[in-house]
Amino acid sequence: MLELAILGALKEKPMHGYELKKRLSFLLGHLWKISFGSLYPALKRLEAKDAVERAYTVKEKTRNRYVYRITPKGEEIFRKLLEDTGKSSEITDSDKFSLRLAFFRYMEPELRLWLLEKRRNYLAERLEEMSGTGKSRYKESDSYRLGLYRHRQELLRSDIQWLDELIEQERKQLLEKERGGGSPRKGEKGGEKLLLEGESLEKATPIQA
């Protein structure tokens, strides 16, 4: 997951380690804590795979920093990691799905729509299970447990509603494409309203697992 995140961030621009940590913390800090202890070993692994390279150095205060950039092989690895959705956990795991969503702009519209629909169906099934068994299972629960149970239901409903909006947006884009409106070519920016960065990241609804 971290290697995918690093490659996705370096697609935006070359960065040295400190910049990269700040960028990843902004994009993905709600998923897990980004530390130098995990970042630099991941960069070394990617260097060994020729996925990233040290482009040049910049001097900051009293030290030089290596600036990393993604390579053509790194671009290929990034796309494979991004589009590898063969495991069910890519849909059911909240962190994995959210990470992929952060780089949705680099996916083909058809794959974006497929993932959104799969995630939406998974959450809807979870909500149905909770709603169907809630009365009997939680009849004797205390008020705190019952409140927590209801809170989880509300989170699921909120995420499903948000996904419905994204799905509708993707369907409209695909319809425009079919009518000859065209779509971004590979490597270009697409699905801007889905991109979780800037203000949109702060306003986005977290996807519950």
Side-chain angles (χ1 to χ4, degrees), residues 26-87:
F26 174 75
L27 284 175
L28 306 168
H30 61 293
L31 301 181
W32 72 82
K33 183 178 180 180
I34 309 296
S35 67
F36 288 117
S38 59
L39 177 62
Y40 283 112
L43 280 170
K44 287 183 178 180
R45 292 195 300 270
L46 289 170
E47 272 192 289
K49 298 176 183 178
D50 296 323
V52 302
E53 62 183 5
R54 301 181 188 187
Y56 52 90
T57 61
V58 292
K59 188 169 185 179
E60 290 192 353
K61 295 183 179 179
T62 60
R63 61 179 300 181
N64 291 326
R65 296 184 183 273
Y66 290 109
V67 175
Y68 295 88
R69 67 184 174 194
I70 191 170
T71 65
K73 186 174 181 180
E75 295 273 3
E76 181 181 346
I77 293 174
F78 171 76
R79 182 165 294 278
K80 287 181 179 179
L81 290 173
L82 187 65
E83 297 179 354
D84 181 12
T85 57
K87 297 179 181 178

Side-chain angles (χ1 to χ4, degrees), residues 92 94 119 122-123 126 152 155-156 159 205-209:
T92 60
S94 178
R119 179 66 180 178
Y122 166 70
L123 295 184
R126 289 208 58 201
R152 288 173 177 168
L155 289 175
L156 285 171
D159 284 342
T205 302
I207 300 180
Q208 303 300 315

Side-chain angles (χ1 to χ4, degrees), residues 87-98 115 118-119 121-123 125-126 207-209:
K87 297 179 181 178
S88 61
S89 62
E90 303 299 331
I91 304 297
T92 60
D93 187 284
S94 178
D95 288 353
K96 289 183 178 180
F97 185 83
S98 295
L115 283 169
K118 285 289 184 180
R119 179 66 180 178
N121 291 340
Y122 166 70
L123 295 184
E125 288 174 3
R126 289 208 58 201
I207 300 180
Q208 303 300 315

